Amino acid sequence: MSKNLSRSSSSAPRHLPWFVRSDARTWTCAPPPAEVRDFHAGQPGYAPTALTELPALAGELGVGRVFVKDESSRLGLPAFKALGASWAIHQVLSQRTNDGGRVLLVTATDGNHGRAVARMARLFGQHAHVFVPQGVHPTAVAAIENEGADVTLIPGPYDEAVRRAADAAADGRDAVLVQDTAWPGYERIPGWIVEGYSTLFAEIDAQLGAVGARAPGLVAVPVGVGSLAQAAVAHYRSRPAGPAPAALLSVEPDSAACVLASLGRREPVSVPTGATSMAGLNCGTVSSLAWPFLRDGLDAAVAVTDADSAAAVRTLAAVDVSSGPCGAASLAGARAVLTGEGAAERRTALAVGPASTVVLLSTEGTAANPHVQEERP
């Protein structure tokens, strides 16, 4: 059973766009490959990113403990994307039979994924071509170019950049599209990217265990096309014999809430996108590979404003957590759902109580989004 409380329940505030379903935690799926974390552990510079406990936030949110998974420095880059790009490129190269010839790795990006593909292409001795849509800050574009990639700027939204990248890869000799969204007929490489993200969740398990924390009662995940949320679902819904499963909350900009819209319709729908400081989440179409996992395994979805995200950035900065607008969206979403008018009903729907552990995925640092730095006094 599911319900869109922002539309169908009079007890929820009408200004909060959110969706919840009651049976997501009964759904199960196969686990990701165990060898992914071993691969990452063997990469130069690998170390688990910090899982930082924030007691003041636990008090604000009315829960037992709050932890932030800080992805502001992942394999030398300011966002989590290197996990997926490295594993996928490793898989692409290991399965090619061109006698070691160079491969052109093509992708589209709102910033972080493209830089990760460019960095990993260089480390693996390959070359990258990255298509960038309008709205990406010039400093982020320059960071991709500084990794040695060719960059093509697209005067259109993210979905158009993806189309252009796919066309370029199809037309190029020894070119491979390494995209973190899927569509019918293009799912194997996005699947490898999702597998790469599984290392992040394995780290969280170990880190919570090391400090004697309960298994998460709620995990908040920023969402663009849904690949990281798919990885979260695959991790937490593949352990039926373990502790009580976590409630999983996706968080999107209110100007690009394609997952929220799709869950409400129970089918994938594309939405027009507008300008948002959460540039890495400014996606109008759900990945076809992610959709079945999100449809069946997500407990809830919420959309937040740029102002909500900016406030969360400031909160995290005050406790020395470097988080850009996309990363801080997880805190903005948790605040929207767990506090304010209608919170009691939402908390009951998610089974979040005063003893629950909440994990917020901060997917990028401020270095990934120059807008944050410019806004600081």
Side-chain angles (χ1 to χ4, degrees):
M1 176 182 178
S2 62
K3 52 182 175 177
N4 188 333
L5 294 182
S6 65
R7 297 175 182 173
S8 62
S9 173
S10 60
S11 64
R14 292 188 179 276
H15 68 274
L16 179 63
W18 106 293
F19 174 95
V20 65
R21 57 193 301 268
S22 60
D23 54 354
R25 273 158 281 180
T26 66
W27 187 75
T28 60
C29 62
E35 63 266 26
V36 176
R37 190 175 185 190
D38 290 339
F39 165 78
H40 284 134
Q43 297 305 297
Y46 169 78
T49 55
L51 186 71
T52 303
E53 184 167 11
L54 300 178
L57 276 181
E60 176 189 336
L61 299 178
V63 298
R65 302 177 80 170
V66 171
F67 295 86
V68 175
K69 184 62 168 167
D70 180 357
E71 292 291 308
S72 61
S73 181
R74 171 65 77 174
L75 291 171
L77 293 175
F80 76 103
K81 293 285 190 175
L83 290 173
S86 60
W87 175 249
I89 292 171
H90 165 71
Q91 292 289 85
V92 166
L93 298 178
S94 67
Q95 297 192 19
R96 287 186 67 85
T97 59
N98 64 348
D99 298 323
R102 296 192 76 190
V103 177
L104 178 64
L105 302 167
V106 183
T107 195
T109 187
D110 279 323
N112 292 328
H113 173 71
R115 187 177 178 187
V117 169
R119 169 70 63 87
M120 294 304 157
R122 178 166 58 83
L123 292 179
F124 284 114
Q126 310 300 321
H127 192 66
H129 184 181
V130 181
F131 289 75
V132 180
Q134 63 186 13
V136 177
H137 196 277
T139 302
V141 176
I144 298 170
E145 291 175 326
N146 288 340
E147 300 291 349
D150 294 328
V151 171
T152 298
L153 302 178
I154 302 300
Y158 172 79
D159 288 1
E160 177 60 23
V162 171
R163 286 190 288 271
R164 292 283 299 274
D167 289 344
D171 293 341
R173 182 178 180 182
D174 288 327
V176 177
L177 183 68
V178 183
Q179 197 59 56
D180 55 348
T181 187
W183 52 87
Y186 180 74
E187 295 184 331
R188 184 172 67 159
I189 291 175
W192 287 333
I193 290 173
V194 172
E195 289 176 357
Y197 299 154
S198 65
T199 293
L200 186 155
F201 299 100
E203 290 176 0
I204 291 173
D205 286 348
Q207 290 168 318
L208 289 176
V211 296
R214 290 185 174 198
L218 177 69
V219 179
V221 187
V223 168
V225 298
S227 295
L228 181 61
Q230 178 188 347
V233 171
H235 181 79
Y236 290 106
R237 300 292 178 253
S238 62
R239 304 182 300 171
L248 302 177
L249 171 70
S250 72
V251 186
E252 300 169 280
D254 60 357
S255 58
C258 60
V259 169
L260 180 65
S262 297
L263 290 172
R265 292 275 298 273
R266 198 65 180 169
E267 64 181 5
V269 296
S270 294
V271 300
T273 58
T276 174
S277 63
M278 293 171 273
L281 309 182
N282 196 17
C283 307
T285 303
V286 183
S287 167
S288 67
L289 188 65
W291 170 243
F293 289 81
L294 308 187
R295 179 194 63 209
D296 296 331
L298 272 180
D299 295 82
V302 67
V304 297
T305 66
D306 281 4
D308 296 332
S309 175
V313 167
R314 292 191 294 270
T315 296
L316 294 173
V319 289
D320 297 324
V321 175
S322 172
S323 186
C326 296
S330 58
L331 171 56
R335 279 174 162 164
V337 168
L338 299 180
T339 65
E341 183 181 354
E345 181 184 3
R346 296 190 295 272
R347 294 170 73 96
T348 297
L350 295 173
V352 172
S356 296
T357 294
V358 173
V359 174
L360 309 174
L361 303 188
S362 179
T363 51
E364 66 173 15
T366 55
N369 193 319
H371 292 288
V372 180
Q373 298 170 355
E374 291 172 358
E375 289 169 3
R376 288 182 177 176

